[in-house]
Amino acid sequence: MEAETNKFQWRYLADMEISNLGRLTSGGLSKEHILILNDAGIEELYPPQEEALRQGLLSLKSSFVVSVPTASGKTLIAELLMVKSILESRGASFPHREKGNKCLYIVPLRALASEKIEEFKKYEKLGIRTAISTGDYDTSDSWLANYDIIVTTSEKADSLLRHRSSWLADVSVLVVDEIHLIHDSSRGPTLEVTIAKLRQLNPKMLVLGLSATIKNADEIASWLNAKLISMDWRPVPLREGVFLQGEIFFNDSRLSAVEKISSDNIQSIALEIIKEKGQSLVFVNNRKSAEKFALDIAEKTKKFVSLAEEKSLKVLAKQVLGVLSEPTKICRRLAKCMEGGAAFHHAGLAAKQRRAVEEAFRKNLIKVLSATPTLAAGVNLPARRVIIRDYTRYDINIGRVEIPVLEYKQQAGRAGRPKYDKYGEAILIARSEEEKAHLLDNYILSEPEEISSKLGVEGALRTHVLATIAMGYANSLSSLMEFFSKTFFAHQQEPYLLEGHIHKVVNFLLREKMCIAKQAIPERNKEKNGLIVPTLFGKRVSELYIDPLSAVILRDALFRAQKVKTNALSYLQVISHTPELGSLYLRAKDYDMCVKEAVENEDCLLAEMPDRFSEPWKFEEFLSEMKTALFIKDWADERSEDFILEKYGLGPGDVRSKVERADWLLYSMFELGKVFRVEKLGEISRLRERVKHGIKEELLELITLSGIGRVRARRLYAHGLKTLKDLKKADIATISNVELIGKKIALNIKKQLGEKVEDSKEIKQNQRQISEF
């Protein structure tokens, strides 16, 4: 009873004034909610937040688009809206009862999802349950029905819609973080269509779009029938400038000389701010540059690290080195940099290594961080000074290009740490007066570009047209046009511009038997009400969340596999031929290796090899795909991560990203094989497990044990412990003596094999260790 009393005691604090957030009580927020904000260090509302309240955010009657700079309080606006919606739906008298509205929070990256879920956990004191879902695309995740705030990516949200997750009908608030990424050619179409589907499913649902400062935020607001909050206010003033010949020329006409701390100008700019107890974030255009810059400057940052910090950094360096059972050159470089108070950040690092770097930078243990541009679109990591060393990048199709203004603004927006810095500085680098003028005019003084829909291409439409039919949102050309007329593309342009693409995609789906026409499909511009229904094949493709073109490639390969002798490379080559996996860049030195493997295995390949003379471009693409297949084969043949880094240029993060997609494509191939009832599915299933864990076939049995990965399994096998039966016969001492095993893991193995062991406390500690690993 006492616990229940504590839950409701905050209602009697109505007359107390708690900081200047007390005004929120007039918007219907409880004193308990306000105390939670105070405990989180939020003591006052920022102007964008006050404007949202003024325009009626907490009345729960309007959708909003908030277009403001980084760190201007967008997330709190979302929190206020979500918490108010959830608690109000439960009823004022019983704020802690279980039933109520749900809120879906969509982020562009998994790393951001983890960051947000940690921020939202503070509301558990109000009885609000939070959950994250970013993984398996072939499930409805019915367990999410028990949660109030669900954080996910746009791809996972789209997948949940395809699996008809019933709880989605209870979503009252949709928050779309970084909604300006509708402009992104790879992920934008999925985000756009997912928003459109959720709005059709829940017509009364409120949408809150959180955006960077963009030129046409009003267009997004108009599409969503939302109120727009747009302002340039920042909690920390931003100074933007261009460095040239030892001086920084700022946009307020101030000129600042840079102290010559190093013979390298960029290092001097970064180190100058460290002397003032600030931090520097340096953006470069590729991974090698990020690593080199961090390695070089780590020798200089050492002298700015205190003894206590030095001790902490050594511990962190050891941790990042131990993330992988077989540390690579990249791991060793990162550990060396971190010991000196510097670090680098890019997608080639393992996820745990990136998180360790981010946390160390937030704690000011890392003084200088060099990063590729992906960091600017990811986690929130501000610094006193941001240096944009490279404003150009290499595009494989057209050569060197300048980055968009929006990307520069995202990078510059990381300058200035709220509560720590009185100002932030973003510095571009020029080599001449002409370049300085160019950077001032085209970046610092320019507005970000307008964003536009990327839905109007056949490749983007294929998967979404099929899903729209498979889910029952449309069953004819006219109803397809009606659905797509609700997209941002149709809001920006005339919907009929999509009609030709949609008609072409529908014909493709009919031809490949993913859909069937109950009546003849009319020509364009004629009657469009012929009934279109999905086949079992089409439904399964939609659920598996793969491109219909990939499904055709995999289906045809399954049929070919029944007629030829197959090996591991047969299946790896065909999944590398799909649009999803993405082939590796073919270097000149790779050419002969890939040709040799292709010729030797030609009779086993499941995707046809083009003629190198009549179709040279296709042949080069084929060799790139072959290189990708050979990388996955090397991984499954237990090649070390250093070997893969050296041979293919892939870091730990790259390996895991590729392996995850390869695993999913092999799973999809297996599932499609069940649809068509073909043979040889056992080969695919075993290969999938090998790829997933990076092991040869003889380790498949050992890998079923929790806490036993590719390296430990190989050590056990090498010591004659080749099967679960061998492990059951062996005593704990024998297992413990195997390298990398030890007593704790040996005890856990015995427990998993059903044996009783005495040291249960040690086992529990080991289980926690394995879970953390």
Side-chain angles (χ1 to χ4, degrees), residues 262-264 266-268 270-271 288-302 333 336-338 340-344 368 370 389:
S262 165
S263 57
D264 182 288
I266 314 299
Q267 286 189 14
S268 292
L271 292 168
K288 284 186 178 180
S289 294
E291 292 179 22
K292 186 178 185 307
F293 187 88
L295 282 166
D296 290 344
I297 205 168
E299 295 300 319
K300 312 284 195 316
T301 52
K302 275 183 181 178
R333 286 175 196 150
K336 184 179 178 182
C337 289
M338 292 185 77
F344 54 86
V368 177
S370 55
R389 194 196 75 174

Side-chain angles (χ1 to χ4, degrees), residues 227-241:
K227 294 181 179 179
L228 175 64
I229 296 172
S230 179
M231 56 178 68
D232 293 327
W233 182 87
R234 287 172 46 95
V236 180
L238 175 64
R239 301 171 181 171
E240 296 174 81

Side-chain angles (χ1 to χ4, degrees), residues 639-655:
R639 289 291 196 171
S640 72
E641 299 219 29
D642 252 340
F643 174 89
I644 287 171
L645 178 63
E646 188 67 29
K647 185 175 179 180
Y648 299 101
L650 298 174
D654 304 309
V655 170

Side-chain angles (χ1 to χ4, degrees), residues 130-367:
T130 59
I132 183 172
S133 178
T134 59
D136 190 350
Y137 291 149
D138 195 21
T139 175
S140 63
D141 280 356
S142 56
W143 59 274
L144 290 172
N146 298 317
Y147 293 84
D148 305 301
I149 297 176
I150 295 115
V151 183
T152 186
T153 60
S154 55
E155 291 82 7
K156 180 61 179 180
D158 187 17
S159 169
L160 292 169
L161 282 163
R162 295 181 188 208
H163 283 84
R164 299 175 177 81
S165 301
S166 58
W167 57 267
L168 286 169
D170 298 324
V171 173
S172 61
V173 173
L174 170 66
V175 180
V176 184
D177 207 346
E178 311 285 357
I179 196 171
H180 58 272
L181 290 178
I182 278 180
H183 186 71
D184 184 82
S185 58
S186 60
R187 311 186 81 172
T190 295
L191 177 59
E192 181 178 345
V193 171
T194 298
I195 295 170
K197 285 177 182 174
L198 285 166
R199 292 181 74 201
Q200 182 167 324
L201 179 66
N202 301 333
K204 294 183 179 180
M205 177 184 72
L206 299 179
V207 181
L208 173 60
L210 306 179
S211 170
T213 305
I214 54 174
K215 195 171 184 178
N216 59 329
D218 57 326
E219 265 195 298
I220 297 180
S222 176
W223 170 48
L224 298 175
N225 192 26
K227 294 181 179 179
L228 175 64
I229 296 172
S230 179
M231 56 178 68
D232 293 327
W233 182 87
R234 287 172 46 95
V236 180
L238 175 64
R239 301 171 181 171
E240 296 174 81
V242 180
F243 171 85
L244 176 65
Q245 296 176 353
E247 295 179 316
I248 302 172
F249 181 79
F250 286 98
N251 54 343
D252 58 2
S253 298
R254 188 172 55 87
L255 200 63
S256 176
V258 174
E259 184 181 350
K260 193 74 174 174
I261 302 173
S262 165
S263 57
D264 182 288
N265 285 329
I266 314 299
Q267 286 189 14
S268 292
I269 301 169
L271 292 168
E272 182 184 53
I273 216 74
I274 311 306
K275 289 182 68 176
E276 301 172 12
K277 307 299 182 185
Q279 291 169 283
S280 291
L281 176 57
V282 185
F283 284 108
V284 294
N285 59 11
N286 61 65
R287 298 177 187 184
K288 284 186 178 180
S289 294
E291 292 179 22
K292 186 178 185 307
F293 187 88
L295 282 166
D296 290 344
I297 205 168
E299 295 300 319
K300 312 284 195 316
T301 52
K302 275 183 181 178
K303 59 184 177 183
F304 298 105
V305 173
S306 69
L307 289 175
E309 289 173 334
E310 184 180 352
K311 186 177 178 181
S312 297
L313 285 168
K314 283 183 177 178
V315 173
L316 283 169
K318 189 175 179 181
Q319 287 177 357
V320 299
L321 197 60
V323 164
L324 303 181
S325 52
E326 349 168 60
T328 66
K329 288 179 183 177
I330 292 178
C331 302
R332 292 188 285 274
R333 286 175 196 150
L334 180 61
K336 184 179 178 182
C337 289
M338 292 185 77
E339 285 184 354
F344 54 86
H345 188 291
H346 58 62
L349 296 177
K352 285 186 178 180
Q353 291 171 331
R354 290 196 299 270
R355 286 197 293 271
V357 169
E358 291 158 12
E359 193 58 32
F361 193 73
R362 288 192 184 99
K363 292 179 178 178
N364 201 8
L365 291 171
I366 299 297
K367 309 302 178 182

Side-chain angles (χ1 to χ4, degrees), residues 477 481 496-497 499-500 503 522-528:
L477 284 172
M481 284 303 301
Y496 75 83
L497 294 173
E499 189 173 348
H503 201 283
E523 294 295 325
R524 186 179 171 190
N525 297 327
K526 294 184 180 178
E527 177 56 43
K528 303 180 186 65

Side-chain angles (χ1 to χ4, degrees), residues 660-701:
E660 187 177 291
R661 278 181 274 176
D663 170 51
W664 189 255
L665 286 164
L666 288 169
Y667 170 74
S668 299
M669 194 175 192
F670 179 84
E671 289 296 310
L672 293 179
K674 291 198 294 186
V675 170
F676 293 107
R677 300 182 181 181
V678 298
E679 297 179 356
K680 295 192 175 182
L681 293 185
E683 288 183 10
I684 299 171
S685 180
R686 288 191 297 275
L687 179 59
R688 183 195 170 206
E689 288 302 309
R690 288 185 56 205
V691 169
K692 187 175 183 179
H693 298 288
I695 55 170
K696 292 180 179 178
E697 193 156 338
E698 66 256 30
L699 298 186
L700 286 173
E701 189 173 341

